[in-house]
Amino acid sequence: MIIYFLRHASAGEPFVSAKKDEKRALDKDGIEQCGYVGRALAAIEAQVDVIVSSPLKRATQTASLVGNEMGYEGKLQIEAGLRPGATVADFRRLLEKYARQESIMVVGHNPNLSQFLGALISESGGEASIELKKGAVARVDMRRSSGTLLWCLTPKALRSLYSAAVESSRPKTSRK
């Protein structure tokens, strides 16, 4: 199974009230980050059978925007196992639920999303230290109970690559 780990994009400052914070939406930068991530995944022809998101608004928005850019036409799945505070055991149960899928994308929050990623790629079953920045996406290829991290990209890196590609694709002119 291929698992794409996607941390929700920028959503501004957290609210003091946990109830209000669950409804915090992406900010302008977050929406832009989703475009870069989604277009990059589409460019490398990444395909997912299902997108699974935390129920918090900033995560579902990230999942929807990136999914749209990738051409994902399925229904967004909402799982409590991706909420802030979920445990590695909760995440493993979530993976069991989707074990028949060839490729999934999970969209959630730090620090637990980074912990889930670290636990999957650690040979000892302990933790590897991986920090997912806001809007970052990582690909892990799973074999049985452990995985291999193939790559991890931040929106900042993708924005730089996109800018460089646009710049190099402009026609060269000679001036006399």
Side-chain angles (χ1 to χ4, degrees), residues 81-95:
L82 291 168
R83 291 181 66 88
T87 65
V88 172
D90 295 330
F91 183 69
R92 291 213 184 260
R93 282 190 291 277
L94 180 149
L95 289 182

Side-chain angles (χ1 to χ4, degrees), residues 4-176:
Y4 293 96
F5 286 80
L6 175 60
R7 182 177 175 198
H8 72 78
S10 177
E13 293 299 316
F15 294 118
V16 175
S17 162
K19 197 96 168 144
K20 278 187 176 180
D21 197 57
E22 288 197 3
K23 294 179 173 72
R24 184 165 40 107
L26 296 178
D27 59 21
K28 182 182 171 194
D29 289 339
I31 292 167
E32 184 180 312
Q33 288 171 343
C34 290
Y36 285 114
V37 171
R39 285 189 295 277
L41 291 171
I44 62 169
E45 298 180 1
Q47 295 183 349
V48 293
D49 297 318
V50 65
I51 297 178
V52 186
S53 176
S54 156
L56 278 63
K57 184 172 186 170
R58 57 193 176 273
T60 59
Q61 278 186 297
T62 300
S64 294
L65 291 169
V66 171
N68 284 341
E69 288 285 345
M70 293 174 64
Y72 176 73
E73 295 178 355
K75 183 177 182 234
L76 183 62
Q77 301 299 309
I78 307 298
E79 293 284 348
L82 291 168
R83 291 181 66 88
T87 65
V88 172
D90 295 330
F91 183 69
R92 291 213 184 260
R93 282 190 291 277
L94 180 149
L95 289 182
E96 287 173 18
K97 183 175 178 179
Y98 295 97
R100 295 183 187 267
Q101 306 299 326
E102 285 184 38
S103 179
I104 68 171
M105 178 179 285
V106 294
V107 185
H109 315 267
N110 265 359
N112 58 340
L113 197 64
S114 290
Q115 292 168 348
F116 302 159
L117 171 57
L120 287 185
I121 63 170
S122 171
E123 287 186 31
S124 65
E127 285 187 29
S129 181
I130 302 286
E131 181 186 350
L132 289 173
K133 300 283 187 191
K134 287 183 181 171
V137 62
R139 178 181 166 163
V140 173
D141 285 6
M142 292 295 297
R143 286 180 310 284
R144 294 189 189 102
S145 62
S146 70
T148 302
L149 175 65
L150 292 187
W151 47 258
C152 182
L153 295 168
T154 65
K156 185 176 180 180
L158 293 171
R159 183 182 305 119
S160 296
L161 289 171
Y162 180 78
S163 296
V166 167
E167 189 66 33
S168 70
S169 67
R170 290 195 178 126
K172 306 285 187 263
T173 60
S174 62
R175 296 185 179 201
K176 295 183 179 184

